[in-house]
Amino acid sequence: MAAVPPSPATPPPAALPTPPTLLVLDADPPPRLGRLTGRVRVVHTDEASLAERLPAADVLLVWDFTSHAVRDAWPGEGPRPRWVHTASAGVDHLMCPELTASDTVVTNARGVFDEPIAEYVAALVLAMAKDLPLTWELQQRGEWRHREGRRVAGTRAVVVGSGPIGRSVARTLKALGITASVVGRVPRTGIHGPDDLDRLLARADWVVAAAPLTEQTRGMFDLRRFGVMQPSARFVNVGRGQLVVEEALVQALERRWIAGAALDVLTSEPLPRDSPLWRVPGLLVSPHMSGDTVGWRDDLGAQFVELFERWAVGRPLRNVVDKRRGYVPGH
Amino acid sequence: MAAVPPSPATPPPAALPTPPTLLVLDADPPPRLGRLTGRVRVVHTDEASLAERLPAADVLLVWDFTSHAVRDAWPGEGPRPRWVHTASAGVDHLMCPELTASDTVVTNARGVFDEPIAEYVAALVLAMAKDLPLTWELQQRGEWRHREGRRVAGTRAVVVGSGPIGRSVARTLKALGITASVVGRVPRTGIHGPDDLDRLLARADWVVAAAPLTEQTRGMFDLRRFGVMQPSARFVNVGRGQLVVEEALVQALERRWIAGAALDVLTSEPLPRDSPLWRVPGLLVSPHMSGDTVGWRDDLGAQFVELFERWAVGRPLRNVVDKRRGYVPGH
């Protein structure tokens, strides 16, 4: 295996006596890989054996996207996979300076999660508007207490993150009559730049974080930004836990700077049973499931197989991550 | 006052020395009535005094729409209000044979609740698809348990009730990518007739009851109809509690004939604290609030004032209920 990997457009040597080696970081076999039978040698690995097995792999499939092991195991030099695919939209859990500097191509699961996450955000927004969490708390106590809900049509949302997920969230909120603005790293048609963010936050009824975790976005929802929001505003995070300074969010809720929040992603996952975040009034916590709908593992498997078939014949890969930025740029 | 009331198009005598008497069934004054100052004599009544005060009233405003007192207090003959308006979409709580037979015009709050109820149904549908009630139960226990949600786009809904509420529900569900069919009393363009109901129920992922309570609809969701539905189907009632045979729904849930249900309206309201309905697995109970969003009382008050102003100058009223059918017919 060459020490310098080929560019993404270069096929693996067609005349290799053995098929390329696909290293899968996960104990369980992903679905749909059967379609590659005979065309790839599949090797499964756990986190402990990853460093030992990486040099012999042509392709690394990070199927266990909750693992941070790639960062630690990635070889500084010498043989390494020419292509790394992660079955997740975010790549923050695997990027390290050596991987960024290498010629190894990184791809992600762009596209699989967009609409499921958009529906999940709509579910949270409507549930908060209609006060459903309190309704179900009252149901547990057998208490009939009529309240007034809020309309969502005519309210304003800001979606932070202009990738396919953020744009899909905005589209779904608009379908419910919500005025939704999208904020991205650079302004372009229909997308606001970072300079507009605070002005939009100050008028928003709903603030949705759907950005990748990068050096620019880490901790962007801090005490100052929660202070800019309206007392009636509600905050939803479906991006990455580290976009939010969690202590600041707790303070903002306790001081009633904002009216409520829902976190589907957290700095520490799984959230420990003794975390005080489970019990903050006005804070809904869900276990990082916004994008995960019945059939999602199948979709992720099928997506990898499709990418593999492009790679195997030397066609350019899709969903190629800009490793310095930490996401797939462009539309 | 004439024993035989005038037709709805006939104005009250313009030369009356006193303004017409508006009897309001509620202790609290409805908002917006201030606009009628000097043009109407407002008398408030509770349920106990209603029968005594009805004969002297020109107009009855049933502001407390939870009351069934009109049915009992309506005079069999002799002087009575020429117009009854109820601040609700349903009129089942006030209709009685004597009122139906009389020339008294009945109007309702058609239009005020359509979009709020549609949003509420969307909230319930999305919450059930994303399993939010279990998520919040797990949150109370500090338990991180990842599950898979379901997509709503691409699923099928049947909305029973082809009035403005049912049609608005269907419109909102369609905006979320759901294929929504509407069933009404008579088939017309875009609306299925009762003959299609069972066939549609058998294929539906979501069944939404949004019909008025009439002799035709009472108890229509019985054991047979729950038996027709798919085991994965979920049932939502935002119409009237009596559309549903509640024991049949409980059986259907316990036997897993259907996957879940949400009742915003119940046969007995408020639902007594000791009702077993509070604790049926898979059943969500909310306190008849689907149409009630911040500002709704204002909207109801403004709607009555607008109708009054038409009535006072002899223009035809809107939202005139077909008293035999029990709802406002047509589009």
PDB file of all heavy atoms in Angstrom, chain A residues 115 119 130 139 146 148-149 151-153 278-279 283 285 292 294 296, chain B residues 115 119 130 139-140 146 148-149 151-153 283 285 292 294 296:
ATOM      1  N   GLU A 115     -34.461  15.561   6.735  1.00  0.00           N
ATOM      2  CA  GLU A 115     -35.907  15.649   6.941  1.00  0.00           C
ATOM      3  C   GLU A 115     -36.343  15.061   8.279  1.00  0.00           C
ATOM      4  O   GLU A 115     -37.215  15.630   8.945  1.00  0.00           O
ATOM      5  CB  GLU A 115     -36.651  15.034   5.761  1.00  0.00           C
ATOM      6  CG  GLU A 115     -36.426  15.873   4.502  1.00  0.00           C
ATOM      7  CD  GLU A 115     -37.166  15.344   3.287  1.00  0.00           C
ATOM      8  OE1 GLU A 115     -37.984  14.434   3.456  1.00  0.00           O
ATOM      9  OE2 GLU A 115     -36.918  15.854   2.185  1.00  0.00           O
ATOM     10  N   GLU A 119     -38.433  17.296  11.006  1.00  0.00           N
ATOM     11  CA  GLU A 119     -39.691  16.895  11.647  1.00  0.00           C
ATOM     12  C   GLU A 119     -39.554  16.918  13.171  1.00  0.00           C
ATOM     13  O   GLU A 119     -40.491  17.299  13.877  1.00  0.00           O
ATOM     14  CB  GLU A 119     -40.093  15.483  11.193  1.00  0.00           C
ATOM     15  CG  GLU A 119     -40.592  15.415   9.756  1.00  0.00           C
ATOM     16  CD  GLU A 119     -41.110  14.020   9.405  1.00  0.00           C
ATOM     17  OE1 GLU A 119     -40.993  13.099  10.257  1.00  0.00           O
ATOM     18  OE2 GLU A 119     -41.628  13.850   8.291  1.00  0.00           O
ATOM     19  N   LYS A 130     -47.809  24.280  22.410  1.00  0.00           N
ATOM     20  CA  LYS A 130     -49.081  23.758  22.935  1.00  0.00           C
ATOM     21  C   LYS A 130     -48.945  23.275  24.371  1.00  0.00           C
ATOM     22  O   LYS A 130     -49.899  22.708  24.927  1.00  0.00           O
ATOM     23  CB  LYS A 130     -49.595  22.626  22.031  1.00  0.00           C
ATOM     24  CG  LYS A 130     -49.700  22.999  20.560  1.00  0.00           C
ATOM     25  CD  LYS A 130     -50.527  24.260  20.318  1.00  0.00           C
ATOM     26  CE  LYS A 130     -50.559  24.627  18.850  1.00  0.00           C
ATOM     27  NZ  LYS A 130     -51.217  25.933  18.611  1.00  0.00           N
ATOM     28  N   GLN A 139     -51.425  14.890  33.399  1.00  0.00           N
ATOM     29  CA  GLN A 139     -52.114  13.609  33.201  1.00  0.00           C
ATOM     30  C   GLN A 139     -51.646  12.577  34.222  1.00  0.00           C
ATOM     31  O   GLN A 139     -52.471  11.817  34.766  1.00  0.00           O
ATOM     32  CB  GLN A 139     -51.867  13.087  31.779  1.00  0.00           C
ATOM     33  CG  GLN A 139     -52.552  11.725  31.537  1.00  0.00           C
ATOM     34  CD  GLN A 139     -52.436  11.227  30.111  1.00  0.00           C
ATOM     35  OE1 GLN A 139     -51.946  11.935  29.231  1.00  0.00           O
ATOM     36  NE2 GLN A 139     -52.883  10.008  29.878  1.00  0.00           N
ATOM     37  N   HIS A 146     -57.145  23.367  32.365  1.00  0.00           N
ATOM     38  CA  HIS A 146     -57.172  24.005  31.054  1.00  0.00           C
ATOM     39  C   HIS A 146     -56.187  25.167  31.011  1.00  0.00           C
ATOM     40  O   HIS A 146     -56.079  25.931  31.956  1.00  0.00           O
ATOM     41  CB  HIS A 146     -58.594  24.522  30.788  1.00  0.00           C
ATOM     42  CG  HIS A 146     -58.733  25.206  29.466  1.00  0.00           C
ATOM     43  ND1 HIS A 146     -58.464  26.538  29.292  1.00  0.00           N
ATOM     44  CD2 HIS A 146     -59.072  24.733  28.246  1.00  0.00           C
ATOM     45  CE1 HIS A 146     -58.659  26.861  28.025  1.00  0.00           C
ATOM     46  NE2 HIS A 146     -59.035  25.776  27.378  1.00  0.00           N
ATOM     47  N   GLU A 148     -54.115  27.999  27.942  1.00  0.00           N
ATOM     48  CA  GLU A 148     -54.102  28.476  26.564  1.00  0.00           C
ATOM     49  C   GLU A 148     -52.762  28.111  25.926  1.00  0.00           C
ATOM     50  O   GLU A 148     -51.712  28.354  26.508  1.00  0.00           O
ATOM     51  CB  GLU A 148     -54.288  29.990  26.537  1.00  0.00           C
ATOM     52  CG  GLU A 148     -55.650  30.406  27.077  1.00  0.00           C
ATOM     53  CD  GLU A 148     -55.832  31.908  27.095  1.00  0.00           C
ATOM     54  OE1 GLU A 148     -54.853  32.645  26.846  1.00  0.00           O
ATOM     55  OE2 GLU A 148     -56.961  32.350  27.373  1.00  0.00           O
ATOM     56  N   GLY A 149     -52.826  27.531  24.746  1.00  0.00           N
ATOM     57  CA  GLY A 149     -51.610  27.300  23.996  1.00  0.00           C
ATOM     58  C   GLY A 149     -51.225  28.538  23.203  1.00  0.00           C
ATOM     59  O   GLY A 149     -51.837  29.598  23.346  1.00  0.00           O
ATOM     60  N   ARG A 151     -50.221  29.963  19.182  1.00  0.00           N
ATOM     61  CA  ARG A 151     -50.127  29.680  17.748  1.00  0.00           C
ATOM     62  C   ARG A 151     -48.657  29.603  17.353  1.00  0.00           C
ATOM     63  O   ARG A 151     -47.840  30.343  17.905  1.00  0.00           O
ATOM     64  CB  ARG A 151     -50.785  30.813  16.940  1.00  0.00           C
ATOM     65  CG  ARG A 151     -52.295  30.902  17.048  1.00  0.00           C
ATOM     66  CD  ARG A 151     -52.976  29.695  16.420  1.00  0.00           C
ATOM     67  NE  ARG A 151     -52.512  29.404  15.058  1.00  0.00           N
ATOM     68  CZ  ARG A 151     -53.006  29.964  13.957  1.00  0.00           C
ATOM     69  NH1 ARG A 151     -53.986  30.843  14.037  1.00  0.00           N
ATOM     70  NH2 ARG A 151     -52.542  29.647  12.781  1.00  0.00           N
ATOM     71  N   VAL A 152     -48.317  28.751  16.402  1.00  0.00           N
ATOM     72  CA  VAL A 152     -46.971  28.841  15.843  1.00  0.00           C
ATOM     73  C   VAL A 152     -46.975  29.657  14.549  1.00  0.00           C
ATOM     74  O   VAL A 152     -46.000  30.341  14.258  1.00  0.00           O
ATOM     75  CB  VAL A 152     -46.306  27.456  15.612  1.00  0.00           C
ATOM     76  CG1 VAL A 152     -46.184  26.681  16.912  1.00  0.00           C
ATOM     77  CG2 VAL A 152     -47.017  26.653  14.543  1.00  0.00           C
ATOM     78  N   ALA A 153     -48.068  29.598  13.780  1.00  0.00           N
ATOM     79  CA  ALA A 153     -48.138  30.406  12.562  1.00  0.00           C
ATOM     80  C   ALA A 153     -47.987  31.877  12.943  1.00  0.00           C
ATOM     81  O   ALA A 153     -48.572  32.332  13.918  1.00  0.00           O
ATOM     82  CB  ALA A 153     -49.466  30.174  11.842  1.00  0.00           C
ATOM     83  N   TRP A 278     -31.001  16.967  33.720  1.00  0.00           N
ATOM     84  CA  TRP A 278     -32.270  16.248  33.606  1.00  0.00           C
ATOM     85  C   TRP A 278     -33.411  17.003  34.270  1.00  0.00           C
ATOM     86  O   TRP A 278     -34.564  16.798  33.949  1.00  0.00           O
ATOM     87  CB  TRP A 278     -32.182  14.871  34.284  1.00  0.00           C
ATOM     88  CG  TRP A 278     -31.335  13.844  33.609  1.00  0.00           C
ATOM     89  CD1 TRP A 278     -30.168  13.306  34.096  1.00  0.00           C
ATOM     90  CD2 TRP A 278     -31.581  13.169  32.371  1.00  0.00           C
ATOM     91  NE1 TRP A 278     -29.682  12.352  33.231  1.00  0.00           N
ATOM     92  CE2 TRP A 278     -30.536  12.245  32.164  1.00  0.00           C
ATOM     93  CE3 TRP A 278     -32.599  13.255  31.407  1.00  0.00           C
ATOM     94  CZ2 TRP A 278     -30.467  11.422  31.037  1.00  0.00           C
ATOM     95  CZ3 TRP A 278     -32.534  12.443  30.294  1.00  0.00           C
ATOM     96  CH2 TRP A 278     -31.484  11.538  30.112  1.00  0.00           C
ATOM     97  N   ARG A 279     -33.079  17.857  35.241  1.00  0.00           N
ATOM     98  CA  ARG A 279     -34.124  18.398  36.109  1.00  0.00           C
ATOM     99  C   ARG A 279     -34.226  19.921  36.116  1.00  0.00           C
ATOM    100  O   ARG A 279     -34.692  20.509  37.086  1.00  0.00           O
ATOM    101  CB  ARG A 279     -33.884  17.907  37.546  1.00  0.00           C
ATOM    102  CG  ARG A 279     -34.631  16.645  37.888  1.00  0.00           C
ATOM    103  CD  ARG A 279     -34.100  15.955  39.127  1.00  0.00           C
ATOM    104  NE  ARG A 279     -33.257  14.832  38.753  1.00  0.00           N
ATOM    105  CZ  ARG A 279     -33.725  13.671  38.263  1.00  0.00           C
ATOM    106  NH1 ARG A 279     -35.015  13.503  38.116  1.00  0.00           N
ATOM    107  NH2 ARG A 279     -32.915  12.686  37.930  1.00  0.00           N
ATOM    108  N   LEU A 283     -36.545  22.829  30.695  1.00  0.00           N
ATOM    109  CA  LEU A 283     -35.581  22.208  29.782  1.00  0.00           C
ATOM    110  C   LEU A 283     -36.010  20.779  29.456  1.00  0.00           C
ATOM    111  O   LEU A 283     -36.191  19.959  30.356  1.00  0.00           O
ATOM    112  CB  LEU A 283     -34.184  22.194  30.410  1.00  0.00           C
ATOM    113  CG  LEU A 283     -33.093  21.514  29.561  1.00  0.00           C
ATOM    114  CD1 LEU A 283     -32.915  22.212  28.229  1.00  0.00           C
ATOM    115  CD2 LEU A 283     -31.768  21.476  30.324  1.00  0.00           C
ATOM    116  N   VAL A 285     -34.979  17.273  27.641  1.00  0.00           N
ATOM    117  CA  VAL A 285     -33.771  16.551  27.234  1.00  0.00           C
ATOM    118  C   VAL A 285     -34.182  15.283  26.497  1.00  0.00           C
ATOM    119  O   VAL A 285     -35.016  14.524  26.996  1.00  0.00           O
ATOM    120  CB  VAL A 285     -32.923  16.181  28.473  1.00  0.00           C
ATOM    121  CG1 VAL A 285     -31.777  15.263  28.081  1.00  0.00           C
ATOM    122  CG2 VAL A 285     -32.399  17.440  29.150  1.00  0.00           C
ATOM    123  N   ASP A 292     -32.963  10.044  13.920  1.00  0.00           N
ATOM    124  CA  ASP A 292     -32.959   8.589  13.846  1.00  0.00           C
ATOM    125  C   ASP A 292     -34.372   8.053  13.775  1.00  0.00           C
ATOM    126  O   ASP A 292     -35.042   7.886  14.793  1.00  0.00           O
ATOM    127  CB  ASP A 292     -32.229   8.019  15.059  1.00  0.00           C
ATOM    128  CG  ASP A 292     -30.842   8.646  15.211  1.00  0.00           C
ATOM    129  OD1 ASP A 292     -30.355   9.245  14.226  1.00  0.00           O
ATOM    130  OD2 ASP A 292     -30.266   8.569  16.306  1.00  0.00           O
ATOM    131  N   VAL A 294     -37.139   5.090  12.065  1.00  0.00           N
ATOM    132  CA  VAL A 294     -37.167   3.681  11.643  1.00  0.00           C
ATOM    133  C   VAL A 294     -36.608   3.574  10.223  1.00  0.00           C
ATOM    134  O   VAL A 294     -37.028   4.294   9.327  1.00  0.00           O
ATOM    135  CB  VAL A 294     -38.613   3.148  11.716  1.00  0.00           C
ATOM    136  CG1 VAL A 294     -38.705   1.764  11.095  1.00  0.00           C
ATOM    137  CG2 VAL A 294     -39.087   3.128  13.167  1.00  0.00           C
ATOM    138  N   TRP A 296     -33.369   4.153   9.530  1.00  0.00           N
ATOM    139  CA  TRP A 296     -32.226   5.052   9.311  1.00  0.00           C
ATOM    140  C   TRP A 296     -30.933   4.279   9.121  1.00  0.00           C
ATOM    141  O   TRP A 296     -30.082   4.667   8.315  1.00  0.00           O
ATOM    142  CB  TRP A 296     -32.107   6.071  10.442  1.00  0.00           C
ATOM    143  CG  TRP A 296     -31.744   5.485  11.770  1.00  0.00           C
ATOM    144  CD1 TRP A 296     -32.441   4.543  12.460  1.00  0.00           C
ATOM    145  CD2 TRP A 296     -30.603   5.800  12.560  1.00  0.00           C
ATOM    146  NE1 TRP A 296     -31.803   4.260  13.634  1.00  0.00           N
ATOM    147  CE2 TRP A 296     -30.673   5.012  13.734  1.00  0.00           C
ATOM    148  CE3 TRP A 296     -29.539   6.684  12.420  1.00  0.00           C
ATOM    149  CZ2 TRP A 296     -29.704   5.071  14.747  1.00  0.00           C
ATOM    150  CZ3 TRP A 296     -28.588   6.746  13.424  1.00  0.00           C
ATOM    151  CH2 TRP A 296     -28.668   5.956  14.565  1.00  0.00           C
TER     152      TRP A 296
ATOM    153  N   GLU B 115     -57.485  26.957  12.717  1.00  0.00           N
ATOM    154  CA  GLU B 115     -56.036  26.824  12.604  1.00  0.00           C
ATOM    155  C   GLU B 115     -55.382  26.443  13.927  1.00  0.00           C
ATOM    156  O   GLU B 115     -54.459  25.623  13.945  1.00  0.00           O
ATOM    157  CB  GLU B 115     -55.445  28.098  12.006  1.00  0.00           C
ATOM    158  CG  GLU B 115     -55.895  28.248  10.556  1.00  0.00           C
ATOM    159  CD  GLU B 115     -55.276  29.446   9.873  1.00  0.00           C
ATOM    160  OE1 GLU B 115     -54.368  30.069  10.454  1.00  0.00           O
ATOM    161  OE2 GLU B 115     -55.709  29.766   8.755  1.00  0.00           O
ATOM    162  N   GLU B 119     -53.053  23.092  14.287  1.00  0.00           N
ATOM    163  CA  GLU B 119     -51.703  23.058  14.853  1.00  0.00           C
ATOM    164  C   GLU B 119     -51.622  22.060  16.004  1.00  0.00           C
ATOM    165  O   GLU B 119     -50.625  21.353  16.165  1.00  0.00           O
ATOM    166  CB  GLU B 119     -51.295  24.448  15.361  1.00  0.00           C
ATOM    167  CG  GLU B 119     -51.002  25.440  14.246  1.00  0.00           C
ATOM    168  CD  GLU B 119     -50.453  26.758  14.804  1.00  0.00           C
ATOM    169  OE1 GLU B 119     -50.396  26.931  16.043  1.00  0.00           O
ATOM    170  OE2 GLU B 119     -50.081  27.622  13.992  1.00  0.00           O
ATOM    171  N   LYS B 130     -42.569  10.930  17.126  1.00  0.00           N
ATOM    172  CA  LYS B 130     -41.202  11.047  17.675  1.00  0.00           C
ATOM    173  C   LYS B 130     -41.112  10.490  19.092  1.00  0.00           C
ATOM    174  O   LYS B 130     -40.077  10.613  19.740  1.00  0.00           O
ATOM    175  CB  LYS B 130     -40.750  12.512  17.631  1.00  0.00           C
ATOM    176  CG  LYS B 130     -40.875  13.169  16.269  1.00  0.00           C
ATOM    177  CD  LYS B 130     -40.142  12.394  15.176  1.00  0.00           C
ATOM    178  CE  LYS B 130     -40.342  13.051  13.821  1.00  0.00           C
ATOM    179  NZ  LYS B 130     -39.753  12.257  12.726  1.00  0.00           N
ATOM    180  N   GLN B 139     -36.992  11.283  30.949  1.00  0.00           N
ATOM    181  CA  GLN B 139     -36.266  12.421  31.523  1.00  0.00           C
ATOM    182  C   GLN B 139     -36.524  12.531  33.016  1.00  0.00           C
ATOM    183  O   GLN B 139     -35.610  12.813  33.793  1.00  0.00           O
ATOM    184  CB  GLN B 139     -36.675  13.724  30.819  1.00  0.00           C
ATOM    185  CG  GLN B 139     -35.968  14.947  31.414  1.00  0.00           C
ATOM    186  CD  GLN B 139     -36.240  16.244  30.668  1.00  0.00           C
ATOM    187  OE1 GLN B 139     -36.878  16.253  29.623  1.00  0.00           O
ATOM    188  NE2 GLN B 139     -35.743  17.344  31.216  1.00  0.00           N
ATOM    189  N   GLN B 140     -37.779  12.308  33.432  1.00  0.00           N
ATOM    190  CA  GLN B 140     -38.100  12.400  34.855  1.00  0.00           C
ATOM    191  C   GLN B 140     -37.304  11.380  35.667  1.00  0.00           C
ATOM    192  O   GLN B 140     -37.020  11.606  36.842  1.00  0.00           O
ATOM    193  CB  GLN B 140     -39.601  12.194  35.075  1.00  0.00           C
ATOM    194  CG  GLN B 140     -40.441  13.353  34.537  1.00  0.00           C
ATOM    195  CD  GLN B 140     -41.932  13.066  34.582  1.00  0.00           C
ATOM    196  OE1 GLN B 140     -42.371  11.923  34.624  1.00  0.00           O
ATOM    197  NE2 GLN B 140     -42.733  14.135  34.578  1.00  0.00           N
ATOM    198  N   HIS B 146     -31.896   5.752  23.934  1.00  0.00           N
ATOM    199  CA  HIS B 146     -32.074   6.100  22.526  1.00  0.00           C
ATOM    200  C   HIS B 146     -33.122   5.182  21.895  1.00  0.00           C
ATOM    201  O   HIS B 146     -33.134   3.990  22.144  1.00  0.00           O
ATOM    202  CB  HIS B 146     -30.734   5.942  21.809  1.00  0.00           C
ATOM    203  CG  HIS B 146     -30.805   6.256  20.353  1.00  0.00           C
ATOM    204  ND1 HIS B 146     -31.165   5.329  19.402  1.00  0.00           N
ATOM    205  CD2 HIS B 146     -30.605   7.416  19.688  1.00  0.00           C
ATOM    206  CE1 HIS B 146     -31.162   5.894  18.219  1.00  0.00           C
ATOM    207  NE2 HIS B 146     -30.821   7.163  18.353  1.00  0.00           N
ATOM    208  N   GLU B 148     -35.751   4.863  18.067  1.00  0.00           N
ATOM    209  CA  GLU B 148     -35.972   5.383  16.722  1.00  0.00           C
ATOM    210  C   GLU B 148     -37.356   6.002  16.648  1.00  0.00           C
ATOM    211  O   GLU B 148     -38.334   5.398  17.091  1.00  0.00           O
ATOM    212  CB  GLU B 148     -35.858   4.244  15.695  1.00  0.00           C
ATOM    213  CG  GLU B 148     -34.470   3.649  15.654  1.00  0.00           C
ATOM    214  CD  GLU B 148     -34.340   2.497  14.677  1.00  0.00           C
ATOM    215  OE1 GLU B 148     -35.367   2.051  14.135  1.00  0.00           O
ATOM    216  OE2 GLU B 148     -33.208   2.066  14.455  1.00  0.00           O
ATOM    217  N   GLY B 149     -37.429   7.207  16.111  1.00  0.00           N
ATOM    218  CA  GLY B 149     -38.723   7.817  15.853  1.00  0.00           C
ATOM    219  C   GLY B 149     -39.275   7.334  14.521  1.00  0.00           C
ATOM    220  O   GLY B 149     -38.705   6.450  13.874  1.00  0.00           O
ATOM    221  N   ARG B 151     -40.902   8.750  10.713  1.00  0.00           N
ATOM    222  CA  ARG B 151     -41.173   9.869   9.817  1.00  0.00           C
ATOM    223  C   ARG B 151     -42.686  10.100   9.758  1.00  0.00           C
ATOM    224  O   ARG B 151     -43.460   9.144   9.825  1.00  0.00           O
ATOM    225  CB  ARG B 151     -40.692   9.554   8.388  1.00  0.00           C
ATOM    226  CG  ARG B 151     -39.200   9.489   8.213  1.00  0.00           C
ATOM    227  CD  ARG B 151     -38.547  10.843   8.407  1.00  0.00           C
ATOM    228  NE  ARG B 151     -39.175  11.905   7.625  1.00  0.00           N
ATOM    229  CZ  ARG B 151     -38.855  12.190   6.367  1.00  0.00           C
ATOM    230  NH1 ARG B 151     -37.917  11.510   5.750  1.00  0.00           N
ATOM    231  NH2 ARG B 151     -39.455  13.194   5.735  1.00  0.00           N
ATOM    232  N   VAL B 152     -43.110  11.356   9.646  1.00  0.00           N
ATOM    233  CA  VAL B 152     -44.530  11.587   9.353  1.00  0.00           C
ATOM    234  C   VAL B 152     -44.749  11.779   7.856  1.00  0.00           C
ATOM    235  O   VAL B 152     -45.799  11.394   7.335  1.00  0.00           O
ATOM    236  CB  VAL B 152     -45.138  12.761  10.157  1.00  0.00           C
ATOM    237  CG1 VAL B 152     -45.035  12.512  11.651  1.00  0.00           C
ATOM    238  CG2 VAL B 152     -44.566  14.094   9.756  1.00  0.00           C
ATOM    239  N   ALA B 153     -43.779  12.369   7.160  1.00  0.00           N
ATOM    240  CA  ALA B 153     -43.915  12.530   5.706  1.00  0.00           C
ATOM    241  C   ALA B 153     -44.084  11.155   5.079  1.00  0.00           C
ATOM    242  O   ALA B 153     -43.392  10.212   5.446  1.00  0.00           O
ATOM    243  CB  ALA B 153     -42.683  13.232   5.134  1.00  0.00           C
ATOM    244  N   LEU B 283     -52.488   6.173  25.893  1.00  0.00           N
ATOM    245  CA  LEU B 283     -53.534   7.185  25.731  1.00  0.00           C
ATOM    246  C   LEU B 283     -53.087   8.513  26.346  1.00  0.00           C
ATOM    247  O   LEU B 283     -52.741   8.581  27.521  1.00  0.00           O
ATOM    248  CB  LEU B 283     -54.830   6.730  26.411  1.00  0.00           C
ATOM    249  CG  LEU B 283     -55.994   7.732  26.345  1.00  0.00           C
ATOM    250  CD1 LEU B 283     -56.394   8.024  24.909  1.00  0.00           C
ATOM    251  CD2 LEU B 283     -57.207   7.210  27.135  1.00  0.00           C
ATOM    252  N   VAL B 285     -54.174  12.299  27.354  1.00  0.00           N
ATOM    253  CA  VAL B 285     -55.391  13.054  27.682  1.00  0.00           C
ATOM    254  C   VAL B 285     -55.008  14.519  27.878  1.00  0.00           C
ATOM    255  O   VAL B 285     -54.086  14.831  28.627  1.00  0.00           O
ATOM    256  CB  VAL B 285     -56.035  12.512  28.973  1.00  0.00           C
ATOM    257  CG1 VAL B 285     -57.174  13.407  29.419  1.00  0.00           C
ATOM    258  CG2 VAL B 285     -56.530  11.085  28.754  1.00  0.00           C
ATOM    259  N   ASP B 292     -57.690  26.527  21.884  1.00  0.00           N
ATOM    260  CA  ASP B 292     -57.628  27.691  22.756  1.00  0.00           C
ATOM    261  C   ASP B 292     -56.202  28.212  22.857  1.00  0.00           C
ATOM    262  O   ASP B 292     -55.389  27.734  23.636  1.00  0.00           O
ATOM    263  CB  ASP B 292     -58.157  27.322  24.142  1.00  0.00           C
ATOM    264  CG  ASP B 292     -59.542  26.666  24.047  1.00  0.00           C
ATOM    265  OD1 ASP B 292     -60.181  26.813  22.993  1.00  0.00           O
ATOM    266  OD2 ASP B 292     -59.950  26.007  25.006  1.00  0.00           O
ATOM    267  N   VAL B 294     -53.559  31.722  23.081  1.00  0.00           N
ATOM    268  CA  VAL B 294     -53.513  33.067  23.645  1.00  0.00           C
ATOM    269  C   VAL B 294     -54.247  34.039  22.712  1.00  0.00           C
ATOM    270  O   VAL B 294     -53.980  34.073  21.520  1.00  0.00           O
ATOM    271  CB  VAL B 294     -52.042  33.499  23.840  1.00  0.00           C
ATOM    272  CG1 VAL B 294     -51.954  34.970  24.219  1.00  0.00           C
ATOM    273  CG2 VAL B 294     -51.386  32.613  24.896  1.00  0.00           C
ATOM    274  N   TRP B 296     -57.564  33.876  22.228  1.00  0.00           N
ATOM    275  CA  TRP B 296     -58.771  33.267  21.653  1.00  0.00           C
ATOM    276  C   TRP B 296     -60.031  33.908  22.193  1.00  0.00           C
ATOM    277  O   TRP B 296     -61.013  34.070  21.465  1.00  0.00           O
ATOM    278  CB  TRP B 296     -58.779  31.757  21.887  1.00  0.00           C
ATOM    279  CG  TRP B 296     -58.940  31.326  23.317  1.00  0.00           C
ATOM    280  CD1 TRP B 296     -58.107  31.653  24.347  1.00  0.00           C
ATOM    281  CD2 TRP B 296     -59.973  30.522  23.863  1.00  0.00           C
ATOM    282  NE1 TRP B 296     -58.564  31.094  25.509  1.00  0.00           N
ATOM    283  CE2 TRP B 296     -59.698  30.384  25.253  1.00  0.00           C
ATOM    284  CE3 TRP B 296     -61.082  29.888  23.334  1.00  0.00           C
ATOM    285  CZ2 TRP B 296     -60.520  29.657  26.099  1.00  0.00           C
ATOM    286  CZ3 TRP B 296     -61.896  29.156  24.189  1.00  0.00           C
ATOM    287  CH2 TRP B 296     -61.611  29.047  25.552  1.00  0.00           C
TER     288      TRP B 296
END
